[in-house]
Amino acid sequence: PAVLATKTAGPVPVPNNDAKPLSHPLLSLFTPGAWDNFTFAPIRESTVSRAMTRRYFNDLDSYAESDITIVGAGSAGLSCAYVLGTLRPDLKISILEAGVAPGGGAWLGGQLFSAMVMRKPAHIFLDQIEVPYEDEGDYVVVKHAALFTSTVMSKVLRMPNVKLFNATTVEDLITRQDKETGEVRIAGVVTNWTLVSMHHDDQSCMDPNTINSNVIISMTGHDGPFGAFSVKRLVSMKQLEQLGGMRGLDMASAEDAIVKGTREIVPGLVVGGMELSEVDGANRMGPTFGAMVLSGVKAAEEALKVFDL
Ligand code: AHZ
């Protein structure tokens, strides 16, 4: 019910005889005077500090050896994490996201518009995560992109075998060279706090941390200040000759190309989402997200193949 503030007794519920009574344990607080006597149990600051840091450092300890690491928690990375975490609750999956807020470009549908377009059959993924949409025939529309992003994120974050390290940048890749064949395999990621990564030029001695991983899935988006990180690094470490470079926008063809092309680019590294457009010289699709979801699904499948996981 709506709440009125009174000078003397604090908030008082407005009676609404038509409404069903709300049942919520906290509603007992809505009695006159109850807020005045309200108090939490006492807590010491170090208790709060330890509650956070102990868990974080346990996670760092546990996920230092991950089965699968996803770099980038945009629409592609989060969709991939959802599929992997659902299919394989036995695997340890770490997600590294440079931003404080995961979600990449999927908080808005396009420009500053709210609605998010997904071409079919990506609607099947929406059904799975229980995000409603309007069916427009060959495509569906979610009323707000944030509804998609927050829902997939909340499902992923609940999974006991998935850990998101946000505000953490992947600033290099771990490599292993086979002594006999000379083949280089990507064997993990090199990480740092994003704020540290941004200040290597003006501070000294800020060495990174590492995560060893059987498979790395890179979904860092197209080129930009942070985007296309892994594939650019593959070029500078001479594992890829050159990048194709993302091409102009062609909605109809671009989405197919990204989904079809999602694959293991070099041993141990699967690339998908818009990062792949930089490798293959694929068009961009602009504000339509079905390919990001399906690339996430395909990347999950490819990753599980890599080591017969
Ligand atoms: O912060 C980045 C973003 O959240 C993160 N990221 C990038 N580099 C990173 C690094 N370490 C850790 N080195 C990093 N995280 O990766 C995320 C990428 O999300 P995104 O939404 O940019 O990419 P996506 O491929 O998931 O979705 C692309 C959506 C686009 S772009 C586009 C167009 O330009 O035409 N169309 C669509 C649908």
Side-chain angles (χ1 to χ4, degrees):
V3 170
L4 280 180
T6 65
K7 273 188 189 152
T8 48
V12 170
V14 179
N16 175 355
N17 297 331
D18 297 334
K20 280 194 208 143
L22 277 178
S23 75
H24 190 291
L26 283 177
L27 278 183
S28 58
L29 286 172
F30 286 102
T31 50
W35 287 111
D36 297 338
N37 299 322
F38 176 80
T39 175
F40 284 111
I43 196 162
R44 194 168 169 78
E45 289 77 4
S46 59
T47 305
V48 176
S49 177
R50 286 176 177 145
M52 297 183 292
T53 55
R54 187 170 59 240
R55 285 169 178 79
Y56 199 87
F57 287 103
N58 276 342
D59 286 335
L60 277 181
D61 181 65
S62 168
Y63 287 84
E65 285 285 353
S66 294
D67 294 303
I68 299 184
T69 295
I70 299 172
V71 188
S75 46
L78 286 171
S79 302
C80 182
Y82 176 78
V83 175
L84 280 172
T86 309
L87 286 180
R88 295 298 300 268
D90 55 315
L91 298 181
K92 256 194 289 178
I93 301 162
S94 48
I95 310 176
L96 283 310
E97 167 50 52
V100 171
W107 290 109
L108 290 161
Q111 197 158 313
L112 295 179
F113 308 132
S114 314
M116 177 184 246
V117 172
M118 282 208 193
R119 289 161 71 196
K120 290 183 178 177
H123 68 297
I124 296 169
F125 187 88
L126 297 177
D127 292 338
Q128 271 192 317
I129 62 170
E130 296 174 309
V131 166
Y133 51 77
E134 281 177 72
D135 194 327
E136 299 280 4
D138 289 339
Y139 68 96
V140 301
V141 184
V142 179
K143 73 173 183 175
H144 204 302
L147 175 60
F148 165 76
T149 300
S150 59
T151 304
V152 68
M153 196 186 304
S154 72
K155 304 245 177 214
V156 164
L157 289 173
R158 277 165 192 265
M159 295 175 176
N161 59 325
V162 177
K163 172 65 189 176
L164 167 70
F165 296 99
N166 46 336
T168 306
T169 292
V170 169
E171 52 178 44
D172 209 342
L173 301 170
I174 299 176
T175 57
R176 297 272 186 271
Q177 187 162 29
D178 188 294
K179 285 196 183 94
E180 274 155 33
T181 63
E183 180 187 86
V184 171
R185 168 171 285 284
I186 309 302
V189 293
V190 178
T191 66
N192 222 324
W193 309 119
T194 299
L195 292 174
V196 171
S197 280
M198 293 165 72
H199 285 275
H200 284 305
D201 291 343
D202 55 52
Q203 299 290 323
S204 62
C205 200
M206 301 196 294
D207 271 341
N209 191 25
T210 56
I211 293 182
N212 286 107
S213 193
N214 285 339
V215 191
I216 293 89
I217 302 174
S218 194
M219 299 192 137
T220 68
H222 59 68
D223 199 6
F226 278 103
F229 170 77
S230 302
V231 297
K232 287 192 281 188
R233 186 68 183 110
L234 289 180
V235 174
S236 63
M237 62 168 71
K238 309 229 180 304
Q239 291 307 305
L240 266 186
E241 209 168 294
Q242 60 177 36
L243 296 182
M246 184 180 74
R247 305 292 160 85
L249 195 152
D250 179 356
M251 244 179 222
S253 66
E255 290 209 275
D256 297 354
I258 295 297
V259 176
K260 283 190 203 153
T262 298
R263 65 190 184 280
E264 189 185 20
I265 295 282
V266 298
L269 183 79
V270 174
V271 177
M274 281 310 281
E275 182 167 3
L276 188 70
S277 71
E278 300 289 353
V279 180
D280 289 348
N283 292 99
R284 66 194 296 191
M285 70 290 297
T288 163
F289 285 82
M292 295 304 110
V293 166
L294 295 188
S295 173
V297 175
K298 185 155 184 239
E301 206 178 289
E302 295 293 305
L304 293 175
K305 273 192 226 155
V306 170
F307 280 105
D308 282 337
L309 283 170

